[in-house]
Amino acid sequence: MRAVLKLILNRALQGLLVLLIISALVFALLAATGGDALSALSADPLVSEETVESLRHVYELDQPLPVRYTRWLMKAARGDLGESFYYRAPVSSLLWPRLLSTLLLATVALLLAWTVALLLGSLAARRKGSWIDRACGLLILLATSTPRIVLALVALAFAARTQWFSIGVDTGGAGSVASLRRVLLPALVLCVPLIALFLAQTREGLKAALAEEFVQVARAKGLTERAVVLRHALRAALNPLITIFGYSLGGVVSGSVIVETTLGWPGLGQLSVVAVRSRDVPLLMGVVLVTATAVLIGNMLADILLRLNDPRLREDESRAASAEITAAAATPAA
């Protein structure tokens, strides 16, 4: 338990440093592109140049870049992400419901991907060289080579033709059948590349684990093939899957722009498109912080799950800690 708490603390400190670097880079890149949220008003003949300059002064857009970033950073450290130029509302109030929507979409997509990958991967590993093994290889090839935009457009056409899925404004409450029908289609599109990733790792990992000596010992004890796979081989093959899961969690949250925009899902991806088009710096910075935090949390969860699944990692950490204590005790006092 102490090792897990130490890991969380270390990852949190590293995450703060990473967020600081990312926010500074994004802020500088946005400034380097030129223009701001008031640039469109400058081209409007009905708005005078004095009015535009006055608004720039009110929103502190006339200040040097280091001053603007420092002021934004100080406010962000207090939980104030500023006000959106486009929506004329606090950024935090805009991010929270969109974050929940994206997390719901990511959760459903990951659950679907894990379920399909574990089921097909275990069948393919147990029947090496069979038709289902070859079919899994073909599925992996198709899923990895098909662009997500193509999948989204196919899903959009399918939904419009069959009317089986809801796209557009959500008319049902949270947890309703309408909401479930609405999230299922974008989740299916989002999970296809994940299925290929998880399935490839599950199939190859289980094939390697089933050839190990401890699996042969389990079979010699009279255990059923199902028990051998689920209780012994699968756990040995989970470590790479858990690592991939950590990276994919953040990747799904940060990479759902195409799916959300095409299929009308009101998440962070769709919000980021609005922020970029309107050059809404406070809103875009808020989206970047949230997505970067999701990536960091996903990696930290993967590290924690790895230590819970693999006792060897905990034993290595315990031996390293014991060695440090022994070395410290053996060092003579100055």
Side-chain angles (χ1 to χ4, degrees), residues 14-301:
Q14 293 172 7
L16 289 176
L17 179 60
V18 170
L19 289 178
L20 180 63
I21 296 173
I22 289 175
S23 64
L25 288 175
V26 172
F27 208 94
L29 289 174
L30 290 175
T33 58
D36 51 45
L38 302 178
S39 297
L41 291 177
S42 303
D44 192 341
L46 299 178
V47 181
S48 65
E49 187 65 26
E50 291 77 11
T51 302
V52 175
E53 292 301 324
S54 176
L55 288 173
R56 280 202 172 93
H57 179 71
V58 170
Y59 289 108
E60 301 180 347
L61 296 176
D62 56 345
Q63 298 293 324
L65 177 62
V67 175
R68 281 184 284 144
Y69 175 71
T70 302
R71 291 179 178 177
W72 175 86
L73 185 62
M74 292 176 63
K75 291 181 179 179
R78 299 193 301 265
D80 181 10
L81 297 177
E83 182 176 335
S84 168
F85 296 122
Y86 183 83
Y87 290 100
R88 295 292 189 269
V91 172
S92 56
S93 66
L94 297 170
L95 289 176
W96 181 244
R98 298 297 186 111
L99 175 61
L100 293 179
S101 296
T102 297
L103 287 178
L104 173 63
L105 177 61
T107 301
V108 176
L110 285 170
L111 287 176
L112 288 173
W114 267 75
T115 302
V116 174
L118 290 176
L119 178 62
L120 294 181
S122 60
L123 291 176
R126 291 166 58 186
R127 297 170 175 83
K128 186 176 180 180
S130 65
W131 67 269
I132 192 168
D133 189 19
R134 294 192 295 271
C136 286
L138 179 61
L139 176 61
I140 293 170
L141 177 63
L142 291 175
T144 53
S145 60
T146 305
R148 194 166 283 172
I149 182 62
V150 174
L151 296 173
L153 291 175
V154 170
L156 186 63
F158 179 79
R161 189 173 185 85
T162 62
Q163 301 296 320
W164 289 356
F165 301 95
S166 301
I167 297 178
V169 179
D170 191 4
T171 56
S176 64
V177 177
S179 297
L180 180 60
R181 290 175 58 196
R182 189 163 180 250
V183 73
L184 190 56
L185 188 62
L188 286 171
V189 175
L190 200 59
C191 79
V192 169
L194 297 176
I195 289 176
L197 185 63
F198 294 159
L199 179 57
Q201 189 60 58
T202 303
R203 186 179 66 158
E204 298 304 320
L206 277 177
K207 284 180 180 179
L210 288 173
E212 293 289 339
E213 183 177 352
F214 67 90
V215 173
Q216 306 302 325
V217 172
R219 284 173 174 158
K221 291 180 178 179
L223 295 178
T224 63
E225 189 65 19
R226 182 177 180 181
V228 169
V229 172
L230 295 180
R231 290 170 53 185
H232 297 277
L234 184 58
R235 186 172 182 180
L238 272 183
N239 281 0
L241 279 174
I242 292 174
T243 304
I244 294 173
F245 166 77
Y247 287 105
S248 62
L249 177 61
V252 169
V253 173
S254 60
S256 59
V257 177
I258 294 176
V259 176
E260 291 183 359
T261 304
T262 306
L263 299 178
W265 182 256
L268 288 176
Q270 192 181 79
L271 191 65
S272 65
V273 173
V274 174
V276 171
R277 286 177 177 173
S278 60
R279 299 191 179 185
D280 193 338
V281 174
L283 182 58
L284 188 57
M285 290 297 296
V287 173
V288 169
L289 280 183
V290 169
T291 52
T293 303
V295 173
L296 293 172
I297 291 177
N299 294 338
M300 183 173 65
L301 285 176

